[in-house]
Every structure is written in structure tokens, then in C-alpha cells.
Amino acid sequence: MDNIFKLGKKIIEEASIFVLKNYNKIRKISYKKGAFNLVTNVDQEVEDFIIKKITSKYPNHSIIAEETGSHKKDPKYKWFIDPIDGTTNFAHGYPFFCISIGFSVNDELTFGLIKNPVTNELYSAFIKRGAQLNGKQISVSKTKKLHDSLLVTGFPYDKKAKISNFNNFKNITLISHGVRRDGAAALDLCYVASGRVDGFWEMKLSPWDVAAGVLILQEAGGKVTDYNGNKFDIFSNKIAATNGFIHKELLKHLE
Ligand code: IPD
Ligand code: CA
Ligand code: CA
């Protein structure tokens, strides 16, 4: 397993250099399903690069990737790839985006890697070995009350959906230090893991958005459930992720 983890680290560092080189040099922006869901040529090229690197070493591993979907092979080993999480930021030159690589064995998250190319920050975790930022152990904050917390959330691309996040955003803004909307769910989870914020919630995310970040958060001592406090799995529709202390209180206020 250590060799696979090592390979993941090598791949994400190489992909990061590629993304940074292409930052502000995007050749093509198109729209996926929906009027606001952007994708750039860089998303596609980075994803191709990552998949090629994985399959050249482990041709039998399954890969679930945002731009090319499911590459189903041995169901025991699964890679979850978001080549650029925060594409809208990336496309606008707003420096908050990352590459996210998660890996599971028999559907148990085993390692997670998230790299912000702009700040050169690599968040990583291996199950039962804690979480690191650039090799240094990280842990969640010790904030005990929502009132003293800084939070972060995100909004789905489908802006016409009946259930929106606006009520939650407003209600929790009014009873906390504030709610940020940074635009990259994987990095949002890392910000909870490293104690920069105390909690995060969002709905309608995909497995490639959360696979790596959820393990990083758990290994940093955080708690993750759905909005009802049920066990979270990466296919769940709603995620609430906190330092653990404020978890119950946050759930109480989420619609
Ligand atoms: C998006 C980001 C954003 C979240 C969206 C995601 P993408 O991923 O994580 O923060 O609010 O729901 O889809 O499209 O930039 O990879
Ligand atoms: Ca994403
Ligand atoms: Ca993406």
C-alpha cells in the first residue's frame, strides 16, 4: 500500500506543476450540464495525465474521475480523481483551487491527497496515521461553540433547485463569526482539518469532491456525518464536517 501512496504523491506533485504552468493560460472554457458548470481544457488534460500515470503502474485499478466518469476494473481498488476542484476560481484567476486524489480499498478510504498549486500546500492522510500539511501533523480546532466559530460552505451549480443553501447560509452567518464561500469543497475540508475554519457543510457534492478530504479531516480528529448525524459515505447527498465539538450545534441549525 505504501508504494501506491508514494505513487499518488508523485502524481499529484507533477499534476500540480502542470496546473500552475497553465494558470492564466487557459485555451478553452466550456460548459457541462447546466449554465454555470464550467470546465477548461486544463481540467481535461490534467485528468488524462493522472489516469495515464495510474494505469501505467496499476492497469487493473478502478478509477472514478470527474471529467471521464467511471473506469470500472477491480472493485477492490478505487481512485477518486478531481483534476481541478474549484474550476470556476481557476477559470477566473482566483487563486483557490486544488487537485484531489482519494484511494479506497474494499470501499474503505485508505489515503487522501489534496494539493493547492498556488500556495504549494499538500494535505495528506493515510488511514490510522494522522493527517499532514506539507509533512507536518495537523489537527482540527478546539473551538467549542458555534458562536465562536468560523465556517465555510458551498452552493450547488443547479441554481433553480427547490432546496437551496441560502437559509442555512443566512441563519448560521447570524450566529457565528461568519461563513466563507471559497469555491473548492476539497480545500474547504482541508481548512477544517487544519483548524483554519471550524466547520463546513454542503449538499450535492460528488465522490471525487470529498473522498480525499473526508479522510484528511477524520485523520485530523474531525467529525463528518450527513445533516441528520448519520454515518457519511462519499456518495451521500449532504455533508457536515467539523472539529467535532461544534458538530451537534451545527446540525441543529441546518435545514
Ligand atoms: C465544485 C467545488 C465547489 C462546490 C461545487 C463543486 P468543481 O467542484 O467544489 O466548491 O460548491 O459543488 O462541484 O466543479 O470546481 O470541481
Ligand atoms: Ca469538484
Ligand atoms: Ca473539478
Side-chain angles (χ1 to χ4, degrees), residues 11 36 68 71 73 86 122 157 161 167-168 186:
I11 295 174
F36 301 101
T68 53
H71 307 249
K73 290 181 191 158
L122 175 69
Y157 290 119
N167 287 344
N168 287 334

Side-chain angles (χ1 to χ4, degrees), residues 37 66 82 84-87 154-157 181 183-185 202 205 209:
N37 196 349
E66 175 164 20
D82 195 338
I84 299 182
D85 183 50
T87 295
F155 295 82
Y157 290 119
R181 197 290 196 220
E202 187 161 354
L205 290 171
D209 295 312

Side-chain angles (χ1 to χ4, degrees), residues 118-131:
V118 178
T119 57
N120 197 24
E121 290 180 318
L122 175 69
Y123 295 87
S124 61
F126 193 99
I127 189 165
K128 298 197 178 95
R129 292 189 199 161

Side-chain angles (χ1 to χ4, degrees), residues 1-2 4-5 76-78 80 101-113 124-130 211-212 214-216 218-219:
M1 210 44 62
D2 280 330
I4 306 178
F5 188 37
K76 183 172 177 188
Y77 302 107
K78 291 184 188 142
F80 297 92
I101 300 181
F103 183 75
S104 70
V105 180
N106 289 327
D107 294 325
E108 178 177 55
L109 293 171
T110 303
F111 68 74
L113 293 160
S124 61
F126 193 99
I127 189 165
K128 298 197 178 95
R129 292 189 199 161
V214 160
L215 185 68
I216 291 168
Q218 287 170 332
E219 287 295 319

